[in-house]
Amino acid sequence: MRRGLGADVAATVLDGKTMGTFWRVSVVGMDEGKAEALRQKVQAQLDADDRLLSTWKNDSALMRFNHAATTEPWPVSEAMADIVTLSLRIGAKTAGAMDITVGPLVNLWGFGPARQPVKTPDPQQIAAAKARTGLQHLTVINHAERQYLQKDIPDLFVDLSTVGEGYAADQVAAWLDGRGIKNYMVEIAGALRLKGHNGQGDLWRIAVEKPGDELGQVQNVLTPGDNGISTAGSYRNYYELDGQRFSHIIDPATGKPLTHKLVSVTVIAPSALYTDALDTGLMVMGADKALIFANEHNLPIYTLTKTDDGFKVRFSRAFAAYQPKP
Ligand code: ADP
Ligand code: MG
């Protein structure tokens, strides 16, 4: 969806697979002898995140909470409490457009660990799944030394898929910062964190992909600076059923996958968890509301909307600073 541009010969590139996708870290000016140790460190960290947050692994910490048929406080790690706290807060900011309790609907529509449905879910099924969602059903309890999650309905299903990559990108970036590394690009699939410059001494450049069936067509090139950036899109992860196209982003208000013409939203902010959570919420809002939200919050966003003969670009006021040079 977005990626670093060009073969950066002067940067050391480390990569691997995680969370059912890929990761890549580019570091400038690194001692090559330390590269393998760094690669292993990042891989181990991301594998640990996956064991924490995955809805595809039945024994992840998150899935153990989801399966627990209890409404009593459930002990979790500090990391889990922090991720859920931030996700609930961002969810509330978007008036529930981004909602990590959307899991039963994600599963009903076949975008989670449950299989793709063979026919379009009927209104009763949608209403039943929707009744099991809602930010108000999930609480984080923070004591000085212990943290808990608590649900007030036993069959809540928390889905952190939309914040996991961003969380992991922030974590790797913090670790690199702690090592005094000043020039890097961290990519955890669609969530990026950038700092400093690339191997040529220029700002890191990020390509926003042109939606469509052909891979790798560039719509625009951005220079986000020392920030996180991510893009949510409805054009890559979808299936067709009964002649309709269903994208993997669900509107929690209707209980159905998005059908409007907004195809992607790119968000820039200091934290990748924040951009990764918000891009999904902004997709749900649709272009008009997303741009109003972004201008109210001084948030740089870039949107692509499908038109009869191509795509229309619209961006928020704060985005002007990252606007590609003509
Ligand atoms: P992308 O693949 O476009 O980068 P993400 O992986 O960040 O998107 O987020 C999509 C996933 O988030 C879906 O597969 C689903 O599990 C979950 N999801 C779908 N709709 C919502 C929503 N409205 N709020 C929160 N999470 C959602
Ligand atoms: Mg997202």
Side-chain angles (χ1 to χ4, degrees):
M1 211 164 285
R2 45 256 118 344
R3 61 195 159 81
L5 271 188
D8 195 337
V9 282
T12 304
V13 179
L14 314 166
D15 58 11
K17 293 209 165 89
T18 189
M19 305 178 177
T21 175
F22 75 97
W23 65 268
R24 182 160 50 220
V25 175
S26 309
V27 181
V28 178
M30 199 176 86
D31 177 354
E32 284 292 330
K34 295 189 175 145
E36 182 51 24
L38 178 59
R39 199 196 68 75
Q40 285 178 19
K41 162 77 198 169
V42 174
Q43 184 67 55
Q45 185 62 64
L46 296 174
D47 289 344
D49 291 342
D50 202 27
R51 288 193 297 274
L52 189 67
L53 306 175
S54 178
T55 44
W56 303 83
K57 288 189 160 59
N58 253 321
D59 58 348
S60 71
L62 179 64
M63 284 306 276
R64 276 182 275 130
F65 173 66
N66 281 336
H67 288 317
T70 176
T71 54
E72 293 298 308
W74 182 266
V76 292
S77 63
E78 229 173 279
M80 179 72 95
D82 290 350
I83 297 164
V84 173
T85 300
L86 287 167
S87 302
L88 289 176
R89 197 175 297 153
I90 299 167
K93 258 192 193 161
T94 65
M98 196 290 286
D99 182 343
I100 56 169
T101 71
V102 79
L105 290 164
V106 172
N107 294 337
L108 178 66
W109 288 95
F111 289 106
R115 281 200 300 167
Q116 192 175 310
V118 288
K119 62 189 218 8
T120 311
D122 61 44
Q124 286 80 4
Q125 287 175 299
I126 296 171
K130 196 167 166 289
R132 295 170 51 202
T133 68
L135 295 171
Q136 74 279 10
H137 295 303
L138 180 61
T139 306
V140 184
I141 304 168
N142 274 299
H143 291 172
E145 287 173 4
R146 282 179 164 272
Q147 307 76 38
Y148 305 84
L149 298 184
Q150 187 171 25
K151 46 190 168 187
D152 69 3
I153 45 175
D155 53 356
L156 198 72
F157 190 106
V158 179
D159 179 350
L160 296 172
S161 305
T162 203
V163 292
E165 294 164 2
Y167 165 73
D170 283 343
Q171 204 183 21
V172 172
W175 192 81
L176 295 172
D177 288 343
R179 291 280 170 296
I181 296 173
K182 298 217 156 42
N183 300 293
Y184 59 74
M185 171 164 63
V186 174
E187 305 174 70
I188 317 290
L192 278 73
R193 273 288 300 270
L194 314 173
K195 189 165 189 175
H197 56 73
N198 64 19
Q200 283 75 48
D202 301 321
L203 287 176
W204 295 101
R205 301 191 309 150
I206 304 301
V208 177
E209 208 174 75
K210 191 176 263 178
D213 295 331
E214 236 173 297
L215 277 172
Q217 299 265 84
V218 174
Q219 174 78 30
N220 241 323
V221 177
L222 314 179
T223 47
D226 292 1
N227 274 312
I229 174 168
S230 66
T231 301
S234 59
Y235 61 96
R236 187 72 77 207
N237 189 347
Y238 64 86
Y239 62 83
E240 282 177 18
L241 187 66
D242 302 336
Q244 262 187 296
R245 184 183 270 216
F246 295 111
S247 103
H248 70 318
I249 297 178
I250 309 259
D251 182 346
T254 63
K256 295 179 189 171
L258 300 184
T259 50
H260 52 58
K261 290 192 158 29
L262 176 58
V263 285
S264 76
V265 178
T266 299
V267 183
I268 298 174
S271 144
L273 185 154
Y274 195 76
T275 68
D276 206 8
L278 264 185
D279 62 12
T280 303
L282 294 168
M283 271 303 296
V284 170
M285 289 181 202
D288 290 343
K289 273 196 187 168
L291 286 159
I292 291 169
F293 179 95
N295 284 329
E296 267 171 16
H297 292 85
N298 199 28
L299 184 73
I301 75 163
Y302 175 97
T303 69
L304 282 177
T305 305
K306 194 162 169 34
T307 59
D308 289 340
D309 52 357
F311 297 98
K312 187 170 157 194
V313 172
R314 291 164 75 193
F315 46 82
S316 63
R317 279 194 299 276
F319 186 81
Y322 312 99
Q323 201 177 334
K325 307 284 174 289

PDB file of all heavy atoms in Angstrom, residues 162 232 275-277 279-280, ligand 2:
ATOM      1  N   THR A 162      -6.232  -4.002  13.673  1.00  0.00           N
ATOM      2  CA  THR A 162      -6.012  -2.717  13.039  1.00  0.00           C
ATOM      3  C   THR A 162      -5.029  -1.827  13.805  1.00  0.00           C
ATOM      4  O   THR A 162      -4.635  -0.780  13.293  1.00  0.00           O
ATOM      5  CB  THR A 162      -7.356  -1.989  12.768  1.00  0.00           C
ATOM      6  OG1 THR A 162      -7.140  -1.061  11.715  1.00  0.00           O
ATOM      7  CG2 THR A 162      -7.888  -1.293  14.005  1.00  0.00           C
ATOM      8  N   ALA A 232      -5.058   3.005   5.175  1.00  0.00           N
ATOM      9  CA  ALA A 232      -6.117   1.984   5.169  1.00  0.00           C
ATOM     10  C   ALA A 232      -6.759   2.038   3.795  1.00  0.00           C
ATOM     11  O   ALA A 232      -6.950   3.118   3.230  1.00  0.00           O
ATOM     12  CB  ALA A 232      -7.160   2.288   6.238  1.00  0.00           C
ATOM     13  N   THR A 275      -1.738   6.297  13.896  1.00  0.00           N
ATOM     14  CA  THR A 275      -2.108   6.381  12.465  1.00  0.00           C
ATOM     15  C   THR A 275      -2.826   5.115  12.039  1.00  0.00           C
ATOM     16  O   THR A 275      -3.783   5.157  11.274  1.00  0.00           O
ATOM     17  CB  THR A 275      -0.893   6.607  11.539  1.00  0.00           C
ATOM     18  OG1 THR A 275      -0.049   5.447  11.534  1.00  0.00           O
ATOM     19  CG2 THR A 275      -0.095   7.822  11.927  1.00  0.00           C
ATOM     20  N   ASP A 276      -2.370   3.965  12.539  1.00  0.00           N
ATOM     21  CA  ASP A 276      -2.937   2.681  12.133  1.00  0.00           C
ATOM     22  C   ASP A 276      -4.376   2.540  12.639  1.00  0.00           C
ATOM     23  O   ASP A 276      -5.234   1.975  11.959  1.00  0.00           O
ATOM     24  CB  ASP A 276      -2.052   1.559  12.709  1.00  0.00           C
ATOM     25  CG  ASP A 276      -2.138   0.291  11.897  1.00  0.00           C
ATOM     26  OD1 ASP A 276      -2.751   0.301  10.819  1.00  0.00           O
ATOM     27  OD2 ASP A 276      -1.598  -0.732  12.359  1.00  0.00           O
ATOM     28  N   ALA A 277      -4.638   3.052  13.831  1.00  0.00           N
ATOM     29  CA  ALA A 277      -6.003   3.008  14.364  1.00  0.00           C
ATOM     30  C   ALA A 277      -6.885   4.024  13.645  1.00  0.00           C
ATOM     31  O   ALA A 277      -8.017   3.729  13.267  1.00  0.00           O
ATOM     32  CB  ALA A 277      -5.985   3.309  15.860  1.00  0.00           C
ATOM     33  N   ASP A 279      -6.553   5.503  10.615  1.00  0.00           N
ATOM     34  CA  ASP A 279      -6.843   5.363   9.179  1.00  0.00           C
ATOM     35  C   ASP A 279      -8.098   4.514   8.975  1.00  0.00           C
ATOM     36  O   ASP A 279      -8.933   4.792   8.105  1.00  0.00           O
ATOM     37  CB  ASP A 279      -5.624   4.874   8.370  1.00  0.00           C
ATOM     38  CG  ASP A 279      -5.103   3.498   8.753  1.00  0.00           C
ATOM     39  OD1 ASP A 279      -5.785   2.769   9.488  1.00  0.00           O
ATOM     40  OD2 ASP A 279      -3.988   3.154   8.299  1.00  0.00           O
ATOM     41  N   THR A 280      -8.272   3.493   9.825  1.00  0.00           N
ATOM     42  CA  THR A 280      -9.451   2.631   9.733  1.00  0.00           C
ATOM     43  C   THR A 280     -10.726   3.422  10.083  1.00  0.00           C
ATOM     44  O   THR A 280     -11.726   3.358   9.363  1.00  0.00           O
ATOM     45  CB  THR A 280      -9.299   1.426  10.689  1.00  0.00           C
ATOM     46  OG1 THR A 280      -8.089   0.746  10.351  1.00  0.00           O
ATOM     47  CG2 THR A 280     -10.469   0.476  10.593  1.00  0.00           C
TER      48      THR A 280
HETATM   49 MG    MG B   2      -5.545   0.531  10.229  1.00  0.00          MG
END
